[in-house]
Amino acid sequence: MGVTIKDVAKKAGISPTTVSLVLNNKSNARISEKTRQLVTNAASELNYIPNSAAVSLVTQKTRTIGLLLPDDNSYHFASLIHSIEKACKKAGYFLMIGSVGLEVEDELNYIINFINRGMAGIIFDPSLYPKKLSQKYYELIAAKDIPIIPLGSINSNIVANSILPDFRQGGYLAASHLIELGHKRIGFFTTGSQFNASSAIADGFKSALEEWDISFDIDLVYEGMMDTDSGYKCLEKLMKQNITAIFSSSDIAAYGMYRYAREHHIHIPTDLSIVGFSNMTVSDSLDVPLTSVSFHIDRIARKSVNLLKKISEDKEQALPEIITPDLILRESTCKIDY
């Protein structure tokens, strides 16, 4: 349970009614400035988070679900928002979206204000936060004692109520496909091991190499942002390493690789095989449709909203559910002839 008005009252040494009047800013109440200061100080020391909507999950008077995402402009999150909004409408909920960056103190205050809206629950995607930061944000939300559905691991740990893609299996599928086609010098684009999802994808990639007795070569790895410019720069560097294939842990970065290949007369897939990750709609519409790992955003969205609804009714925690990804084969990969 989080800190309550009774806890603040006990700390301040005054009645819960008085605390409630102060915290709800009842200016017409006859309360001295000294008493108001006592309440404010006690609430601050206890990290009390008020619920401005004053709505209980028991009464189910709120029909709003909050979606908390990294402050990122990637198409992946646009797809996730669309899918969750569609699932919310079907389940009879409204959706409120919050985007949170990496400035810890400012963002902690933002989260407090966000969850202070009397929500039925929060869906939280920690996949592109640094591991320790994702844990800090998760703990703050969990302290509010409302249902929370994480769409990824928290500091590499899978917690209750999670609905998450098997990112590790996704990396394994991509690498295994390229190896089975005969590729041995495989480039790898990653957004960095400090992120929950990227770390798991890299583990899967390395696992496939190890299974086929192929050494992991750090010189064939490029770390960048989830954007086309990073993909372009990645291929500019790794083509000098004589790679014959590349796995991009982002479809968006893969689009930048396509641009580099086109400008430098590199033919996909005969000169270079490419596998992406997240299976965006655009990937099927490229001149050479992109082979990509799908982790089923629509399915994750539907399950997360339905689980929130169930938890709000039953008040019981659920076991984590892992969503198995699939490799969607298209024309961007082919066998290699040595």
Side-chain angles (χ1 to χ4, degrees):
M1 293 288 291
V3 177
T4 66
I5 283 181
K6 290 183 179 180
D7 296 322
V8 177
K10 184 177 180 180
K11 177 77 174 178
I14 53 182
S15 72
T17 300
T18 302
V19 170
S20 179
L21 290 171
V22 173
L23 293 179
N24 285 289
N25 199 27
K26 299 294 184 181
S27 57
N28 60 334
R30 296 181 179 179
I31 300 173
S32 69
E33 187 58 36
K34 180 180 179 180
T35 299
R36 290 182 183 276
Q37 194 61 51
L38 279 173
V39 173
T40 302
N41 290 343
S44 177
E45 290 175 19
L46 293 174
N47 293 318
Y48 172 71
I49 304 174
N51 186 342
S52 62
V55 179
S56 168
L57 286 174
V58 176
T59 63
Q60 295 199 12
K61 293 179 182 177
T62 177
R63 302 297 295 176
T64 301
I65 288 177
L67 174 61
L68 199 61
L69 301 170
D71 186 7
D72 188 286
N73 294 321
S74 77
Y75 184 83
H76 160 67
F77 292 118
S79 299
L80 181 62
I81 290 169
H82 174 74
S83 296
I84 289 181
E85 186 173 34
K86 184 170 62 175
C88 281
K89 286 181 179 178
K90 188 173 182 179
Y93 286 89
F94 297 101
L95 180 65
M96 181 180 292
I97 301 165
S99 58
V100 185
L102 306 181
E103 300 298 325
V104 179
E105 294 306 320
D106 290 343
E107 301 304 336
L108 288 176
N109 291 329
Y110 179 88
I111 293 174
I112 290 173
N113 289 327
F114 183 70
I115 64 180
N116 185 30
R117 305 285 179 173
M119 306 209 185
I122 300 281
I123 298 173
F124 173 50
D125 189 339
S127 59
L128 287 183
Y129 289 118
K131 296 176 183 177
K132 290 184 178 179
L133 188 56
S134 70
Q135 181 169 342
K136 194 177 187 72
Y137 287 171
Y138 171 78
E139 288 174 349
L140 179 61
I141 301 167
K144 183 59 178 169
D145 196 31
I146 61 175
I148 173 172
I149 310 296
L151 303 184
S153 60
I154 307 297
N155 197 12
S156 299
N157 297 314
I158 298 175
V159 299
N161 303 337
S162 297
I163 305 283
L164 66 164
D166 190 342
F167 290 115
R168 188 181 189 280
Q169 179 66 10
Y172 176 85
L173 287 174
S176 295
H177 171 63
L178 292 171
I179 295 169
E180 288 168 356
L181 291 173
H183 297 280
K184 295 181 180 178
R185 292 192 64 77
I186 303 172
F188 177 43
F189 174 87
T190 178
T191 53
S193 59
Q194 74 270 29
F195 298 105
N196 290 292
S198 300
S199 179
I201 293 169
D203 286 345
F205 178 82
K206 293 175 185 177
S207 176
L209 295 181
E210 183 178 350
E211 190 173 295
W212 288 78
D213 291 325
I214 299 175
S215 298
F216 176 73
D217 188 345
I218 192 65
D219 290 334
L220 303 186
V221 178
Y222 185 92
E223 184 175 322
M225 302 295 290
M226 194 182 291
D227 57 37
T228 55
D229 284 344
S230 288
Y232 187 98
K233 293 173 183 177
C234 169
L235 209 56
E236 183 177 38
K237 176 183 177 181
L238 295 189
M239 286 305 294
K240 299 173 184 177
Q241 297 291 334
N242 299 316
I243 60 171
T244 62
I246 187 164
F247 167 45
S248 172
S249 61
S250 159
D251 273 13
I252 298 174
Y255 303 156
M257 297 174 192
Y258 269 63
R259 177 161 60 89
Y260 180 89
R262 183 173 59 252
E263 292 177 4
H264 293 80
H265 309 292
I266 298 167
H267 299 288
I268 302 170
T270 52
D271 296 332
L272 180 73
S273 287
I274 302 180
V275 175
F277 197 92
S278 69
N279 191 41
M280 296 179 180
T281 305
V282 179
S283 297
D284 193 30
S285 305
L286 302 173
D287 290 342
V288 181
L290 177 65
T291 292
S292 185
V293 176
S294 170
F295 49 88
H296 308 295
I297 290 179
D298 280 346
R299 189 183 306 168
I300 290 172
R302 185 176 64 255
K303 284 180 174 289
S304 62
V305 172
N306 289 341
L307 180 58
L308 264 185
K309 184 177 181 180
K310 186 175 187 301
I311 293 173
S312 67
E313 293 170 353
D314 299 344
K315 306 296 186 293
E316 293 182 2
Q317 298 274 60
L319 293 174
E321 182 174 356
I322 310 296
I323 305 300
T324 303
D326 290 305
L327 182 67
I328 309 302
L329 296 176
R330 299 193 180 98
E331 287 81 10
S332 65
T333 61
C334 69
K335 289 184 178 181
I336 184 171
D337 295 322
Y338 284 98

